[in-house]
Every structure is written in structure tokens, then in C-alpha cells.
Amino acid sequence: MSPQHTLSSSIAIIGVGTMGRAIASGLVHAGVVTASQLALADRDISVARDLATQLTGARWAHDAATAGEGADIVLLCVKPNDVAQALAELHLLSAHVLVVSIAAGMTLSTLEQLTGGLRPVVRAMPNTPCLIGQGHTVLSAGRHATAEHLQEVEQIFRALGTCQVLAEKHLDAVTALSASGPAFVYVMIEALAAGGLACGLSREVSTFMAARTALGAAAMVLETGSHPAELRDQVSSPGGCTIAGLLALEDGGFRSVVSRAVEVTTRAAAGLGAR
Ligand SMILES: NC(=O)c1ccc[n+]([C@@H]2O[C@H](COP(=O)([O-])OP(=O)(O)OC[C@H]3O[C@@H](n4cnc5c(N)ncnc54)[C@H](OP(=O)(O)O)[C@@H]3O)[C@@H](O)[C@H]2O)c1
């Protein structure tokens, strides 16, 4: 099947660590852009150069300013405390260039301030399953970003999974639930697998089964549209074994521990942009 190049914009990706690399590769593999539409920059030149070689045809640059030359969209994929420095390097960008930041906790008002106050800016909060096209990304637009800008950014992140637009006030909670969330789910998968191991299943079988179970249960929620509690009740028959396990989870405060983890992470995410 020939790829469909749906975006004509050239995109500079500043920072090609975990997320920048996932976005660059995902965009090319989904056929949303050709590699030649991408310019990559990282503090570690070899990282940008190797990814450009791997993607065949992408440009790589020694610094953010060079990568940003001629770009229509600049995707900032650096840590929150590196954003100001990267934007300082990009100060010569022409006024129409759209800046997209995926940095946790960096508010639109800070980003707008750092880019001169009039630039179109969009905040995006993706997650690591973007690496395999199964991510989820939430977008919030700044004061000078138009509906067309937002549409372009949606196209970028839809190539990596699902995407939705929410008011910026929700982005710290989104960071906790959706961006940090995979880490919480991995702990659950690890714990399920440890239980299987304790009951005599091999490590390999336990881990596969725990991951497969998480995947299946998540698909049930998404595909049936049923409330998780309803689906849980379908598994737990009166006097059965599942209710015994569910009561053990309640004894350990599982539900409130997980919910509190999201609450604490939301507060931590809000603090990231202030450092
Ligand atoms: N990882 C996640 O699960 C996730 C999910 C959602 C959002 N985010 C956000 O995504 C951003 C990136 O996270 P990450 O996990 O991909 O980080 P990462 O793996 O550390 O990648 C960031 C890369 O950017 C480079 N860099 C820093 N300043 C630069 C500059 N001025 N010019 C060029 N390159 C520069 C870094 O180089 P050095 O290492 O040499 O500094 C590093 O290679 C963060 O702001 C985070 O909040 C991450």
C-alpha cells in the first residue's frame, strides 16, 4: 500500500530522545510526512544523525536554530527545564511558525511569553505507547493558534494513536493519567505476573498472560462502552473465586492507592514548569 502524505508542512523536531524519536518515526511510518519534511536536532549530535539515517532522507542539525530554518512547525520534545533554552536558540524563527511543546507542566502562557507573545503555540501531552502507534495525546491551543493550526497538530498525533482537544486546565491531570499512566499500568502487570509466578506459572507465561489480560480488559472497556464496574461484575459470580481476589484488593486499599497516585502525579506535573 502506498503511503498517504497528508501534511505538506516541514517539521523541525528539537530533542530526539524517547518522545521526539517516537514522534519522528511514527510520522514517517504512518505516511503523514515523508522523511525529507523532517529536520532533527539533539544535544547529542550522533542521536539526531543516527535517527535521520534510519529514516532515510530526514535532515539533522547540530542545533535547534539550524533545524528550525525553513520549518513550518517546530516540535519541542525536550525536558521542561530545557524548554526556555531551546526557545532562546529558536528566537529567529519567523512569526508564522507554529510551536508545539510536549513538555509537562509548561503552560501556554509561559510558552507564549518565551516566544514573544504573538506566536501560535499548541501544548500536546502524548504518552510512550505512541512508540507503537497506540498512544493517546491531548492538545490545548494557545491564544494565537487557529483551528487550522490545531487540525495540523491533530494530524501529527493521530498518526501515533488517538488524539483529543481539551482545555488547558486539564493538562496536568492528563499528564498524570495518560502520560504517566503507562508506568502505573506496568506496575499492575508486574504485580499480576508476580502473583502468577507465586502460584507456579513460569515468569514468561505469567508476564505474557498479565499483559494480554490488561490489553483484553482495556479493549472491553473501550469497545463495549460499559462501565468498568459492570464488566467487573460480569467476572465475579456469587461465592466465586474472583470476589475473593477483589476483596483482597480492597483490603490493600488498591483503588484508593491508584487514584491517589494520579492525584499526587497531577500536583507534581503542575510543579514541573515552575522549576
Ligand atoms: N517520556 C514520556 O513518557 C513523556 C510523555 C509525555 C510527555 N513527555 C514530555 O516530553 C519531553 C521529552 O521527554 P523525553 O522522555 O523524550 O526526554 P529525553 O529522552 O530526555 O529527550 C529529550 C532530548 O532533548 C535533548 N535536548 C535538550 N535540550 C536541547 C536543545 N536545546 N536542543 C536540542 N536537543 C535538546 C536532550 O539532550 P540531553 O539528554 O543531552 O539533555 C535529550 O536527548 C519532556 O518535556 C516530557 O515532559 C514525556
Side-chain angles (χ1 to χ4, degrees), residues 14-20 41-44 47 63-64 76-80 82-83 85-86 89 102-104 124-128 179 272:
I14 312 305
V16 284
T18 307
M19 295 308 296
D42 197 278
R43 270 192 193 139
D44 183 345
V47 168
D63 53 60
L76 276 182
C77 300
V78 301
K79 294 282 188 203
D82 287 324
V83 167
Q85 167 66 33
E89 291 173 37
I102 67 164
M125 189 43 60
N127 60 13
T128 50
L272 286 177

Side-chain angles (χ1 to χ4, degrees), residues 4-269:
Q4 303 220 325
H5 306 130
T6 50
L7 264 183
S8 56
S9 310
S10 40
I11 304 174
I13 301 184
I14 312 305
V16 284
T18 307
M19 295 308 296
R21 164 177 287 272
I23 293 169
S25 309
L27 281 176
V28 173
H29 291 141
V32 170
V33 294
T34 58
S36 61
Q37 286 169 260
L38 297 181
L40 314 170
D42 197 278
R43 270 192 193 139
D44 183 345
I45 297 163
S46 66
V47 168
R49 191 185 48 217
D50 291 353
L51 182 59
T53 308
Q54 207 178 305
L55 294 177
T56 326
R59 245 176 357 102
W60 62 275
H62 291 272
D63 53 60
T66 313
E69 280 168 16
D72 303 302
I73 300 174
V74 168
L75 256 171
L76 276 182
C77 300
V78 301
K79 294 282 188 203
N81 51 7
D82 287 324
V83 167
Q85 167 66 33
L87 285 173
E89 291 173 37
L90 288 160
H91 72 285
L92 290 177
L93 284 183
S94 62
H96 74 274
V97 176
L98 169 65
V99 170
V100 181
S101 163
I102 67 164
M106 287 299 281
T107 63
L108 285 166
S109 83
T110 303
L111 292 163
E112 283 173 348
Q113 207 181 322
L114 290 168
T115 52
L118 295 172
R119 179 177 298 285
V121 173
V122 171
R123 263 184 86 181
M125 189 43 60
N127 60 13
T128 50
C130 283
L131 276 162
I132 54 161
Q134 297 290 328
H136 182 64
T137 304
V138 173
L139 306 178
S140 288
R143 284 176 300 157
H144 308 289
T146 62
E148 287 73 29
H149 287 130
L150 205 50
Q151 229 169 18
E152 271 195 308
V153 184
E154 277 189 80
Q155 258 181 293
I156 291 176
F157 287 100
R158 276 196 209 290
L160 312 170
T162 51
C163 184
Q164 71 186 128
V165 179
L166 286 179
E168 192 190 19
K169 66 179 180 189
H170 298 303
L171 274 199
D172 294 325
V174 167
T175 303
L177 180 53
S178 176
S180 301
F184 307 151
V185 175
Y186 299 141
V187 172
M188 175 71 182
I189 290 172
E190 241 187 301
L192 285 172
L197 197 66
C199 298
L201 295 175
S202 75
R203 201 175 295 275
E204 197 187 4
V205 166
S206 292
T207 305
F208 173 79
M209 221 176 272
R212 194 63 223 168
T213 301
L215 191 66
M220 284 289 282
V221 174
L222 293 175
E223 285 177 30
T224 64
S226 302
H227 191 283
E230 200 183 313
L231 295 168
R232 183 206 59 210
D233 283 350
Q234 287 171 12
V235 189
S236 26
S237 40
C241 58
T242 306
I243 187 63
L246 286 169
L247 289 176
L249 285 181
E250 297 298 350
D251 288 346
F254 179 75
R255 209 191 290 251
S256 90
V257 164
V258 174
S259 304
R260 294 276 178 247
V262 174
E263 247 188 332
V264 166
T265 310
T266 300
R267 283 198 294 276

